[in-house]
Amino acid sequence: MSLLSLGWLLALGGSLLPCSVSEEVVCFSDFDERTGGCGELLGGGVSEEDCCLNIKYSFKRGADAPCQACRPAEWSEWSPWGPCTVSCMEGVQRRDRVCTGQGDCEGNKVEVRACSLQNCCPEDGGWSPWSPWSSCSVTCQDGTTQRSRRCDTPAPQCGGSCAGSSLQTEMCDTKQICPTHGAWGSWGPWGQCSGSCIKEGSGVFPVQHRQRQCNSPPPSRDPPGRPCLQEDQQVRDCTSLPFCPVAGGWGAWNSDSECSVTCGIGRVRERRVCDSPAPKHGGRYCEGPDTRQQMCNTKVGCPVDGTWSQWQPWSPCARLQEDITCTKKVGTQSRKRECEGDKFGGKWCESNHRESRSCYNAEGCRYDENNWSEWSEWGLCSPPCGKSERKRERVCQPVYPDYPETTFTQTGKLVDVFFSGTPRVRCDPINRQTKRVEEKEECKNVIEC
């Protein structure tokens, strides 16, 4: 291990400051998406560029610096929905996600939705009158007597209960003396063995003793109690004493593997054996691990496959040297996407980067009939804390003409035809709105910010 790597590792333990090489980082071979923490330390003294030859890795720029993933920024999976803010009637619950990687993520970090665990809240009941006291639990000296009551006057509703106890206990005195029978106290500790080690091959062991007394409690005299039975002393052989010990010692470290990776940074394993000398007759075994990991750098980037970008918007629906807007004539339109992010010999994106389709140009057209859509689902509560509301909407949608839904291409292939563009719409007014109407509702029991 280099002195530079040793400096970083000591810094992680809190003993020394990190080495003063600003461009070098501490490199890790794992990254936890949920917690944003680094895992599986590889070592320090390498550049950020070398550490991130494998985009699955992560790094820190100092012992107390936050963990950073090598890959581009992306959201983690949403956490499970949290508990409802109330146990009855309506409340809210939230979930969140974490942005990890290089750069910023688009979208919200927190979402909140309405919830209801049950439609009613608990109502407590009332106690019935106490029952009569029971007989004393013993026939001599002091005992107990009890009485009870029921939670049914009235009965609780919706998971409620009655405050207090359903059982009441009091002491009772029989005015009679009970005999006390003797019982053994606990065994005392085993005494020291009569020797400190076993003579190998003799077959004779040292012995040790322990005792107990009849005093837990001692038997009474008037009225007379029974005495303790069985023995008050035990003897056993000291069979676990060791032979004369020989402490073990570690042998030299030896390489035990090749570099664990063929790209980026990996590990080489080294092993040693406790045989210089080997422990004997219960002697202390060597302290510390028998294997260790050393960092190895291939200086080769790991392949990163390309991924498709989002499709670009469809081009305007058109027909060569002819205006087909608001007509029954079929045109074509196309869109494309880009293959991004491939590095170090990674695979190019599969499938096509461009596609086209047949269309009717409806841009700015007016049609005879327009209808309101059904109400959408309620949206998320926004903002996710404090005073929050949710909303839903209806939009005015065109009723397109009854044009043919399919057509034949020049090659004789039958394809679908789509309406493209944004027509002019106007529906019967709702709340004085003719194109879009919105409804809002306050979210209840939202957590404080």
Side-chain angles (χ1 to χ4, degrees), residues 165-186:
S165 174
S166 63
L167 188 67
Q168 197 173 57
T169 302
E170 287 190 358
M171 298 296 297
C172 52
D173 186 0
T174 63
K175 308 297 183 182
Q176 300 292 324
I177 298 176
C178 294
T180 301
H181 304 303
W184 288 113
S186 299

Side-chain angles (χ1 to χ4, degrees), residues 81-255:
W81 285 104
C84 201
T85 53
V86 293
S87 59
C88 59
M89 307 303 287
E90 183 179 332
V92 296
Q93 55 186 161
R94 61 175 284 167
R95 65 178 181 178
D96 55 25
R97 57 182 178 177
V98 178
C99 179
T100 60
Q102 304 296 304
D104 298 322
C105 301
E106 295 184 0
N108 295 327
K109 180 180 179 181
V110 178
E111 288 185 345
V112 175
R113 69 179 182 184
C115 58
S116 177
L117 298 180
Q118 60 180 25
N119 295 326
C120 62
C121 290
E123 295 182 12
D124 291 340
W127 290 112
S128 67
W130 287 104
S131 68
W133 288 101
S134 66
S135 301
C136 196
S137 61
V138 296
T139 57
C140 60
Q141 291 189 341
D142 296 332
T144 58
T145 180
Q146 295 180 336
R147 64 177 181 174
S148 61
R149 58 182 177 176
R150 296 187 302 276
C151 182
D152 60 1
T153 311
Q157 302 295 322
C158 197
S161 61
C162 291
S165 174
S166 63
L167 188 67
Q168 197 173 57
T169 302
E170 287 190 358
M171 298 296 297
C172 52
D173 186 0
T174 63
K175 308 297 183 182
Q176 300 292 324
I177 298 176
C178 294
T180 301
H181 304 303
W184 288 113
S186 299
W187 284 105
W190 286 103
Q192 291 186 347
C193 291
S194 57
S196 60
C197 63
I198 301 171
K199 292 182 180 181
E200 189 172 4
S202 68
V204 178
F205 297 93
V207 296
Q208 58 185 163
H209 299 77
R210 68 175 181 176
Q211 294 180 332
R212 61 179 177 176
Q213 295 181 345
C214 185
N215 60 358
S216 294
S220 61
R221 293 185 177 181
D222 187 18
R226 292 190 299 270
C228 298
L229 302 177
Q230 300 178 342
E231 73 280 356
D232 63 352
Q233 184 173 222
Q234 285 184 339
V235 180
R236 71 177 182 183
D237 292 335
C238 297
T239 59
S240 60
L241 292 175
F243 296 113
C244 297
V246 176
W250 286 115
W253 287 104
N254 292 297
S255 179

Side-chain angles (χ1 to χ4, degrees), residues 237-349:
D237 292 335
C238 297
T239 59
S240 60
L241 292 175
F243 296 113
C244 297
V246 176
W250 286 115
W253 287 104
N254 292 297
S255 179
D256 193 47
S257 71
E258 300 292 334
C259 190
S260 60
V261 296
T262 58
C263 62
I265 292 178
R267 295 191 182 102
V268 171
R269 185 179 63 215
E270 293 183 342
R271 186 181 301 275
R272 59 182 177 176
V273 180
C274 185
D275 60 357
S276 299
K280 188 177 181 182
H281 297 318
R284 177 177 54 83
Y285 192 79
C286 302
E287 295 182 357
D290 63 350
T291 61
R292 68 180 181 183
Q293 302 285 343
Q294 294 290 84
M295 189 170 60
C296 52
N297 189 349
T298 66
K299 293 292 184 177
V300 177
C302 296
V304 180
D305 295 341
T307 57
W308 285 118
S309 66
Q310 296 293 323
W311 284 105
Q312 296 178 3
W314 286 102
S315 65
C317 183
R319 190 168 176 173
L320 187 64
Q321 297 180 348
E322 186 176 357
D323 183 9
I324 61 171
T325 305
C326 305
T327 70
K328 197 174 182 179
K329 297 179 179 180
V330 177
T332 59
Q333 58 183 163
S334 63
R335 63 178 181 177
K336 65 179 182 178
R337 56 184 177 177
E338 303 294 335
C339 185
E340 302 172 338
D342 60 302
K343 294 174 64 177
F344 304 123
K347 295 180 181 178
W348 185 256
C349 305

